[in-house]
Amino acid sequence: MQSQHTMINHVELLQEAEAYIRQFGSELAIEEQATEARIVEITAEIAATGTYTHTLEELAYGAKLAWRNSNRCIGRLFWDSLNVQDAREATAAADVARAVFRHIEYATGRGKILPSITVFAPCTDVDSPRIRIWNEQLIRYAGYSQDDGSILGDPISLPFTQTCMEMGWRGAGTAFDVLPLVIQIGSQPPEWFDIPTDIVLEVPLTHPDFPNFEELQLKWYAVPFVSNMRLEIGGLHYTAAPFNGWYMGTEIGARNLADPFRYNMLPAVGAIMGLDTSREMTLWRDRALVELNIAVLHSYKAQGVTIVDHHTASKQFSLFTEKEQRSGRKPTGRWSWLIPPLSPATTATFHNRYEDTELKPNYFVQKAPYES
Ligand code: ARG
């Protein structure tokens, strides 16, 4: 006999599944009979097993819709071209790691970045995931607290770096140590894997007009692979579903390298530019910020690594909202995330308003497993 609790969960799951299968059917112009038959099939599967399995098409389209519904993302014009890899059969941590490495390599495309997602086995209860990737991004730099109180590397990575070191990992001790991949299967202890250095593409930063910029010895990794979000499609929770697009320059130049609580490089950039940093009035921060962003765009471009500037990205986003309206949908968005952190009012996005409605399928933030 099934408990009442289990039965309520089954009802909810079926409702979510049905809503998604109907959306899938209507957007892809699938015959109504086929959709109804699929719902009957899913109903039976849930009754018998407590869950159901997406077809490859349902999975792929769900991942794309989740991107289309990501209100914080300015790059959604390309939602329909997402490359979806099905890795639901991976069960052991080493299998997951192998699929992740494959993802890093093909999505990096030697610089010609391919927006991609690799989807691992889902669960029906968010609180008992079958697979979790502990990293926030597949590739990120470690952060270390030093004896003199200063921080080496990326301060945002302090807690995760600490966790990795407690598990026995040791970095080289540079400001740009790539953290290991940490995988957890069910409630087993997590396992860590070094990411092969030959699949990690990085871009050393130079400036087209300031030759001494390279003395700063800055670099950044080519591809942002977000790995801590839960993909929800039709009531199924894909708790491990790392995905990537390409960078918008400001993410690196106006945040990662510039924020006072990240690499905090504006004073150093101002110094090599010979700016008067003694008074705010000189706007040395703003001038350093612009040149740092020019260096980022210039270096990625020069190395043949896909990147987009914020003006182009904003135009692409306007195109996305127009296309959505033409398809009879109301585009949703979160204004505070969609405006770029550099010269926001020069982009159309700044002068628009968006409704921040959360639609499903979508990607949801999950709590870091190493933070209590
Ligand atoms: N903002 C994050 C970073 O700087 C990356 C988030 C995803 N970005 C993207 N372009 N898909 O690393």
Side-chain angles (χ1 to χ4, degrees), residues 137 140 220-221 224 226 244-248 251-252 256:
Q137 293 183 24
R140 237 188 188 182
W220 202 255
Y221 47 89
V226 173
N244 73 279
W246 49 73
Y247 265 116
M248 178 163 85
E251 298 183 84
I252 305 163
N256 303 346

Side-chain angles (χ1 to χ4, degrees), residues 123-130 132 230 232 237 239 366:
C123 61
T124 45
D125 174 9
V126 221
D127 297 320
S128 28
R130 285 157 71 187
R132 273 299 306 265
R230 167 175 64 85
E232 184 178 337
H237 307 284
T239 54
Q366 309 184 86

